[in-house]
Amino acid sequence: MWICPKCGREFRRNNQNHYCGKAPETVSEYSNAQPEEIRPHLTEMMHILENSVPCVNERILWSMPYYEKEGKSISFSASKKHISFYAGVEAIDAFASELEGFVTRKNAIYLPYGKVLPAKLITEIARWCLN
């Protein structure tokens, strides 16, 4: 058991990455709470997802950006070395050939900060998931 020295929350894993303090209320607030060097990546991800699917509902759920339309959803979160894009197992299977070169785990695609975000691919996945 590990206890965060900043907020006092308990976690099973040592040095669990989490958000200390009050949860953000908007995606912009979420992005602005992250380290300065990764904010441009998060802002770009936010804009890609906002512009991918019309009439999508954007909110914060589980302290991370969450997008939903008609009961379908996608989300993303900031990690130390990458953006975790949660598109679901079915989407990862459907886009397996396009995702070669990216690390995927269960329902997430890891988009490293050291690479340009694949805007076209993110858009295609978002449309596939939410339409």
Side-chain angles (χ1 to χ4, degrees):
M1 200 54 89
W2 176 73
I3 299 174
C4 174
K6 290 181 183 177
C7 68
R9 288 176 55 193
E10 292 185 13
F11 298 93
R12 283 188 254 174
R13 294 186 316 206
N14 278 346
N15 298 316
Q16 168 77 35
N17 190 15
H18 67 284
Y19 181 75
C20 292
K22 183 181 172 281
E25 294 181 16
T26 66
V27 176
S28 294
E29 194 176 301
Y30 175 88
S31 178
N32 290 333
Q34 304 304 320
E36 190 171 342
E37 62 273 10
I38 67 171
R39 287 182 201 157
H41 298 279
L42 300 175
T43 301
E44 183 180 359
M45 183 73 170
M46 176 180 67
H47 289 302
I48 292 168
L49 294 177
E50 287 172 352
N51 295 316
S52 295
V53 181
C55 303
V56 68
N57 181 29
E58 174 187 280
R59 63 185 174 131
I60 297 292
L61 190 64
W62 302 298
S63 297
M64 66 181 175
Y66 182 85
Y67 299 82
E68 72 177 332
K69 183 178 179 182
E70 300 171 3
K72 301 172 186 173
S73 66
I74 55 176
S75 59
F76 72 90
S77 67
S79 298
K80 290 180 183 179
K81 297 180 181 180
H82 61 268
I83 293 174
S84 297
F85 178 32
Y86 301 99
V89 174
E90 295 86 5
I92 291 170
D93 289 343
F95 289 89
S97 63
E98 292 95 329
L99 291 169
E100 286 183 19
F102 291 97
V103 174
T104 60
R105 297 278 189 264
K106 293 183 184 178
N107 67 342
I109 303 161
Y110 295 168
L111 305 167
Y113 296 127
K115 290 185 177 180
V116 174
L117 283 177
K120 183 179 175 190
L121 178 58
I122 294 168
T123 298
E124 290 173 3
I125 293 170
R127 286 181 180 160
W128 188 90
C129 290
L130 299 175
N131 282 325

